Amino acid sequence: MKHSSRRQFLQNSLGGLSLLTIPAGLQAPNQPFKKMKIVCVGGHPDDPESGCGGSLAKFAASGHDVVILYLTKGEAGIAGKTHEEAATIRSKEAIAASRILNVKPVFAGQIDGDTIVNNEWVTKMQQLITTEKPDIVFTHWPIDSHKDHQSASLLTIQTWMRLSEKFELYFFEVCAGEQTMGFHPTDYIDITDVQEQKRKAVFCHTSQDPDSIYSCGHASMEDFRGRELGVKAAEAFVHMTGRKKGSLVL
């Protein structure tokens, strides 16, 4: 099957699934541009970049405001460094990566490896997220081997559940099969044209051996999700049920 025919077949056969093809897919056809706020909640510096950095770059390039909310500064992520030293290094790497993606970094203030899900932090996360007034929020898939990823996801889910006016909530994957488990996408974003921009953002995290980030599966994930969508490279997402009435169909 030819590439264009295969993509059309996929779009037709997926039916109700939303294919987030940017920029056209961000707006309803023939409607004026509506600027949106996008928030991505990640456990550590490098998680949002590796999980959905291409998509965040595309939202930013399309004229939308994008914020990355890091739950921690990666304090426990550099062998031989104190938490304070590692936090300084990794927050600088996150800021550099954010510049490449053209997004704003925000740090929530939890500690890498010791993240907390309790009423106090549910309230704080709700405040952090709602302050941004997001239209769309991306976060970790809750079934993940890393406790900090679970914490970021659960705090975001609790925020979503407590709001009467809900944002659109999507989950991204990282190191599929090794960290993210049981992930069956409902939505995709074609990142072919920003794949290198994403890679540059990931490689800002020099303390985390960025080659290993890609070798743990991200290069093959981009290729495989692209094959599913019928493009060169894509990122995949699971949409939280309960789409609000009258919202944008992505």
Side-chain angles (χ1 to χ4, degrees), residues 35-44 47-49 52-53 55-61 63-71 94-95 97-99 101-108 125 127-140 156 167-170 172:
K35 190 171 186 176
M36 295 191 295
K37 171 63 74 68
I38 315 299
V39 172
C40 180
V41 181
H44 319 92
D47 286 328
E49 294 90 333
C52 60
S55 300
L56 300 179
K58 295 203 76 165
F59 275 102
H64 303 287
D65 290 331
V66 183
V67 172
I68 292 179
L69 177 56
Y70 299 101
L71 186 61
I95 291 168
S98 296
R99 288 197 189 103
L101 297 176
N102 297 313
V103 306
K104 182 180 80 171
V106 175
F107 298 94
M125 182 62 76
Q127 291 171 342
L128 286 167
I129 292 176
T130 55
T131 294
E132 300 296 339
K133 298 180 173 62
D135 298 285
I136 299 173
V137 174
F138 295 101
T139 193
H140 290 277
T156 307
F167 46 77
E168 299 288 350
L169 178 57
Y170 292 88
F172 60 81

Side-chain angles (χ1 to χ4, degrees), residues 60-131:
S62 296
H64 303 287
D65 290 331
V66 183
V67 172
I68 292 179
L69 177 56
Y70 299 101
L71 186 61
T72 77
K73 291 184 177 181
E75 289 84 350
I78 305 179
K81 299 291 185 183
T82 67
H83 276 202
E84 184 177 350
E85 290 170 337
T88 299
I89 292 168
R90 297 196 67 186
S91 59
K92 287 180 179 178
E93 291 173 347
I95 291 168
S98 296
R99 288 197 189 103
I100 289 174
L101 297 176
N102 297 313
V103 306
K104 182 180 80 171
V106 175
F107 298 94
Q110 289 219 36
I111 303 301
D112 180 12
D114 195 27
T115 54
I116 300 168
V117 178
N118 60 15
N119 289 339
E120 178 184 353
W121 268 99
V122 168
T123 299
K124 184 169 182 177
M125 182 62 76
Q126 183 174 340
Q127 291 171 342
L128 286 167
I129 292 176
T130 55
T131 294

Side-chain angles (χ1 to χ4, degrees), residues 14-231:
L14 285 168
L17 297 184
S18 300
L19 302 182
L20 283 72
T21 49
I22 299 174
L26 287 174
Q27 305 290 149
N30 303 317
Q31 294 296 314
F33 176 78
K34 176 184 179 293
K35 190 171 186 176
M36 295 191 295
K37 171 63 74 68
I38 315 299
V39 172
C40 180
V41 181
H44 319 92
D46 82 41
D47 286 328
E49 294 90 333
S50 59
C52 60
S55 300
L56 300 179
K58 295 203 76 165
F59 275 102
S62 296
H64 303 287
D65 290 331
V66 183
V67 172
I68 292 179
L69 177 56
Y70 299 101
L71 186 61
T72 77
K73 291 184 177 181
E75 289 84 350
I78 305 179
K81 299 291 185 183
T82 67
H83 276 202
E84 184 177 350
E85 290 170 337
T88 299
I89 292 168
R90 297 196 67 186
S91 59
K92 287 180 179 178
E93 291 173 347
I95 291 168
S98 296
R99 288 197 189 103
I100 289 174
L101 297 176
N102 297 313
V103 306
K104 182 180 80 171
V106 175
F107 298 94
Q110 289 219 36
I111 303 301
D112 180 12
D114 195 27
T115 54
I116 300 168
V117 178
N118 60 15
N119 289 339
E120 178 184 353
W121 268 99
V122 168
T123 299
K124 184 169 182 177
M125 182 62 76
Q126 183 174 340
Q127 291 171 342
L128 286 167
I129 292 176
T130 55
T131 294
E132 300 296 339
K133 298 180 173 62
D135 298 285
I136 299 173
V137 174
F138 295 101
T139 193
H140 290 277
W141 178 238
I143 308 173
D144 193 287
S145 62
H146 202 303
K147 183 177 75 72
D148 294 343
H149 296 181
Q150 292 179 14
S151 296
S153 184
L154 293 174
L155 289 169
T156 307
I157 292 169
Q158 280 297 311
T159 295
W160 183 87
M161 288 181 169
R162 289 163 182 250
L163 298 178
S164 56
E165 289 294 321
K166 300 187 187 302
F167 46 77
E168 299 288 350
L169 178 57
Y170 292 88
F171 303 103
F172 60 81
E173 56 183 340
V174 292
C175 292
E178 182 178 329
Q179 292 187 354
T180 298
M181 310 289 183
F183 191 84
H184 300 287
T186 60
D187 298 78
Y188 299 79
I189 292 179
D190 178 0
I191 66 163
T192 302
D193 59 340
V194 292
Q195 195 173 17
E196 183 57 28
Q197 185 181 1
K198 172 185 176 177
R199 187 176 182 85
K200 288 178 180 178
V202 172
F203 268 76
C204 286
H205 298 278
T206 55
S207 70
Q208 301 306 294
D209 184 11
D211 277 320
S212 70
I213 294 175
Y214 274 95
S215 65
C216 86
H218 285 280
S220 57
M221 286 160 58
E222 291 173 15
D223 176 72
F224 181 72
R225 297 311 184 190
R227 289 173 182 269
E228 289 185 312
L229 183 57
V231 299

